[in-house]
Amino acid sequence: MLNLLIIGAGPAGLKAAIAAAEQGLNVKVIDEFPKVGGRLLGQLHQEPNGEWWNGMEMGEKLHQKAIRAGVDIQCEVSVVDISQSVSGWTVYTSQGMIEARKLLLATGATETPIPIPGWTLPGVMSIGAAQVMGNVHRVKPGNTCVIIGANVLSMAIANELRLCGIKVKEIVLPAVGPISKDAGIPEKVLASLMKLTHLAPTVILRQAGKLGKFINPSFAIKYFPRRGIKLFGIPIRLKTAAVEIMGEDHVTGVQTVTISSDGKVIPGSEKVTEADFVCIAGGLAPMSELASIVGCSFKYVQELGGHVPVHNERMQTNVPNLFVAGNITGVESAKVAMAQGKVAGLAIASEWKGKRQEIELALTTAMEEVRKTRAEALIQFQPGISEARDTVYHQFTLDELRMKQEVSVS
Amino acid sequence: MSDEKTIICRCEEVSLKTINDTVYQYSCSSREVKLRTRAGMGYCGGRTCRHVIDTIVADLNQKVITDDIQLSYRPPVRPITFGALGGVYHENESC
Ligand SMILES: Cc1cc2nc3c(=O)[nH]c(=O)nc-3n(C[C@H](O)[C@H](O)[C@H](O)COP(=O)(O)OP(=O)(O)OC[C@H]3O[C@@H](n4cnc5c(N)ncnc54)[C@H](O)[C@@H]3O)c2cc1C
């Protein structure tokens, strides 16, 4: 039987596999995608120091290192169910059943859509789907596009699409409403961009971040030009909102309106921007389905993207022999996911070997590394992540105490 | 107006209007919305729309989203064949 099964061959899963295998554990990694690397595969952006972050190369590096460490990796295997057995875990997949003593869920994050009329037309896709088509499969999703949703992710991917030879006509906001919420209010969008961009991947975003220290966003948005500002030649129009995606059997364009700083529609401002595909960037949420099935308790933390399985800094959940790492614990950058993966791998190895001092020491260093990586993160999807993480760890301690009490009472 | 044209659950073709009306009529949770309208119960198992349903319902009820997951996850979490479900591949049979 396997010592450790890891679900998800993204940066978190691969790093964990390497760390655990290097400690002598017998490790297998499975993933439903045909290629190893998870979300790394699509990533390509420039860092403030001018270096490019090439996710595909990083994924390949980790893949090779895992193989050298003796990890067995299998792709195109979907996990559909998990149950606890006497000796550990039984994992049911599209390719049969796998048994393991310890289990690590590193399933990443999923995108959340912003439904608007016409979003079910062929040619409408999530921003991540466009990234995968262009950067992973090397297929142009179309020639001209409009992106709905202005956030760090959509801006980074807009530039990647441009590099694929696609004309990104504009980045606009979703119309204000119960689903888009703050993502539809120009003032709020600018505020969040300003807060997040102190280390942003582009000059303009960094400038906005610097300004944000001195200028109140509600003041700045008044001076934000109606026609938008340009980033790599792509207009970012925070005062334009998409109300409907047009087309009969395929996208032909997007109907937009001009909006005020608080999202109100300016009458008579309707316009159609032609495009042959449309990307919706609604944000990311931790993919917690498997954690839910095995009975983890959850905490809803908006800064982390939604419901996350309660865990401690060792990446241990409150279900014995079950660990989590990467974006399933909260949406953050690939570098943080890698650092968390290493922690999980070492924590599992330490448990396996009876908390030997040298592994515990390495684990402490690895936990330190997570905090450092987080503080220096180039891409932060939300402000206030460190504080949000502390509330999750605190919940873990509370749950643990409660469980101990229940055991002593019964 | 456009609520009728805004599809929330693509698999079961449930519109925003249907969800709004259901919440107004029964002042109910997202779980009840799911049971009454089939939103989130289609082929994809709610993988696309579950967060949206939670957001809409919390907003209409003027409540915050709680720690407990309202729209529970049920295995199988991916669409699979009856063969795989029935154990065609079990006992490490090669396929
Ligand atoms: C669209 C998108 C774009 C992003 N762009 C960036 C970016 O530019 N820069 C950046 O730093 N971060 C980006 N991120 C954040 C990204 O999630 C992290 O960078 C990082 O990839 C997270 O690593 P992970 O290992 O936790 O998960 P992932 O890299 O997402 O890997 C999880 C893996 O688990 C597999 N999996 C999930 N469920 C199952 C199952 N049931 N059965 C089998 N396999 C399963 C998936 O196929 C996937 O390969 C992006 C995220 C998304 C969704």
Side-chain angles (χ1 to χ4, degrees):
Chain A
M1 188 192 290
L2 289 166
N3 298 159
L4 168 64
L5 178 69
I6 299 176
I7 305 174
L14 290 174
K15 266 285 191 183
I18 295 165
E22 281 175 350
Q23 294 296 333
L25 272 70
N26 161 13
V27 186
K28 183 179 172 98
V29 183
I30 51 176
D31 196 300
E32 59 189 344
F33 200 67
K35 283 187 191 169
V36 171
R39 281 288 165 188
L40 277 177
L41 293 171
Q43 296 174 11
L44 185 66
H45 47 73
Q46 205 168 9
E47 310 229 329
N49 62 9
E51 269 175 38
W52 283 82
W53 171 253
N54 183 331
M56 203 179 266
E57 256 171 30
M58 179 52 79
E60 192 44 36
K61 235 190 242 168
L62 292 175
H63 184 183
Q64 292 309 325
K65 198 165 174 201
I67 291 173
R68 282 198 302 274
V71 177
D72 174 20
I73 306 181
Q74 199 185 348
C75 283
E76 293 182 272
V77 183
S78 290
V79 174
V80 299
D81 195 6
I82 300 174
S83 69
Q84 232 162 339
S85 64
V86 247
S87 50
W89 298 98
T90 307
V91 173
Y92 301 88
T93 79
S94 53
Q95 308 291 325
M97 192 169 90
I98 304 172
E99 298 203 300
R101 293 296 279 269
K102 295 194 184 285
L103 188 62
L104 171 66
L105 304 178
T107 48
T110 165
E111 295 184 80
T112 39
I114 303 176
I116 68 169
W119 80 295
T120 53
L121 277 169
V124 183
M125 63 193 78
S126 71
I127 191 83
Q131 187 188 41
V132 170
M133 280 178 85
N135 295 358
V136 183
H137 301 300
R138 311 279 163 167
V139 174
K140 264 165 83 177
N143 293 311
T144 51
C145 98
V146 170
I147 297 177
I148 303 174
N151 47 48
V152 186
L153 192 61
S154 73
M155 293 193 193
I157 298 178
N159 189 41
E160 294 169 14
L161 293 175
R162 182 184 67 93
L163 296 171
C164 291
I166 290 160
K167 181 158 180 52
V168 182
K169 291 241 179 128
E170 54 183 359
I171 300 179
V172 300
L173 301 193
V176 69
I179 306 167
S180 61
K181 295 206 158 147
D182 286 358
I185 302 172
E187 193 182 314
K188 297 271 167 68
V189 174
L190 188 65
S192 79
L193 289 174
M194 283 172 140
K195 254 187 258 166
L196 296 174
T197 48
H198 59 297
L199 287 166
T202 68
V203 179
I204 292 185
L205 287 183
R206 273 202 299 283
Q207 294 299 341
K210 275 184 203 144
L211 283 176
K213 288 210 181 78
F214 309 108
I215 302 175
N216 187 327
S218 60
F219 178 73
I221 192 70
K222 290 207 176 74
Y223 294 94
F224 193 91
R226 282 261 144 82
R227 295 171 50 216
I229 55 169
K230 282 197 175 177
L231 176 71
F232 311 111
I234 301 166
I236 303 178
R237 303 202 161 116
L238 300 187
K239 286 179 174 170
T240 302
V243 285
E244 182 165 354
I245 299 169
M246 319 294 288
E248 279 296 321
D249 0 271
H250 195 274
V251 169
T252 55
V254 177
Q255 175 157 29
T256 61
V257 289
T258 306
I259 51 177
S260 63
S261 305
D262 55 0
K264 289 207 188 69
V265 175
I266 312 245
S269 61
E270 290 83 5
K271 217 183 96 203
V272 172
T273 305
E274 282 176 16
D276 61 9
F277 76 106
V278 170
C279 298
I280 298 183
L284 306 177
M287 189 129 94
S288 46
E289 51 198 5
L290 295 174
S292 172
I293 282 177
V294 299
C296 287
S297 64
F298 281 86
K299 194 159 178 65
Y300 181 81
V301 191
Q302 193 248 329
E303 291 85 350
L304 298 178
H307 285 100
V308 296
V310 172
H311 60 279
N312 64 8
E313 220 178 333
R314 298 167 71 100
M315 298 288 130
Q316 202 173 9
T317 69
N318 46 30
V319 175
N321 298 317
L322 182 74
F323 293 74
V324 285
N327 276 197
I328 186 178
T329 72
V331 176
E332 288 191 81
S333 75
K335 285 184 179 168
V336 176
M338 283 165 63
Q340 285 181 317
K342 186 164 183 187
V343 168
L346 286 169
I348 293 164
S350 179
E351 223 180 71
W352 191 265
K353 302 196 152 177
K355 300 212 170 167
R356 281 226 300 267
Q357 200 187 356
E358 75 268 18
I359 310 183
E360 281 294 309
L361 266 175
L363 180 55
T364 312
T365 315
M367 291 193 307
E368 200 50 56
E369 192 60 35
V370 172
R371 269 176 253 138
K372 202 170 139 240
T373 313
R374 178 168 297 135
E376 291 167 0
L378 167 71
I379 289 191
Q380 280 184 0
F381 290 89
Q382 294 269 1
I385 287 191
S386 298
E387 297 76 11
R389 291 247 170 230
D390 287 336
T391 66
V392 177
Y393 303 150
H394 183 62
Q395 187 67 43
F396 179 88
T397 316
L398 290 179
D399 285 359
E400 209 177 27
L401 280 174
R402 188 176 43 81
M403 277 188 247
K404 274 191 193 138
Q405 266 170 3
E406 276 167 16
V407 171
S408 65
V409 167
S410 59
Chain B
M1 30 132 246
S2 70
D3 289 0
E4 226 161 321
K5 283 193 346 203
T6 309
I7 299 291
I8 300 299
C9 173
R10 316 174 59 132
C11 303
E12 296 288 322
E13 298 194 349
V14 183
S15 71
L16 177 57
K17 181 173 189 306
T18 305
I19 293 179
N20 284 344
D21 291 351
T22 308
V23 176
Y24 283 131
Q25 191 175 350
Y26 301 99
S27 40
C28 56
S29 65
S30 40
R31 182 174 148 69
E32 196 172 329
V33 166
K34 164 175 149 179
L35 297 175
R36 288 189 181 277
T37 66
R38 292 197 56 80
M41 281 175 97
Y43 180 78
C44 85
R47 290 176 75 199
T48 316
C49 66
R50 64 164 50 243
H51 297 296
V52 178
I53 297 172
D54 271 338
T55 308
I56 299 167
V57 174
D59 187 80
L60 290 175
N61 289 329
Q62 298 186 331
K63 286 202 178 120
V64 291
I65 296 177
T66 58
D67 289 345
D68 297 322
I69 290 178
Q70 285 285 315
L71 299 172
S72 56
Y73 291 97
R74 295 279 159 74
V77 299
R78 295 287 182 279
I80 53 162
T81 61
F82 278 114
L85 200 60
V88 170
Y89 301 111
H90 284 185
E91 276 89 47
N92 290 332
E93 277 177 18
S94 56
C95 40

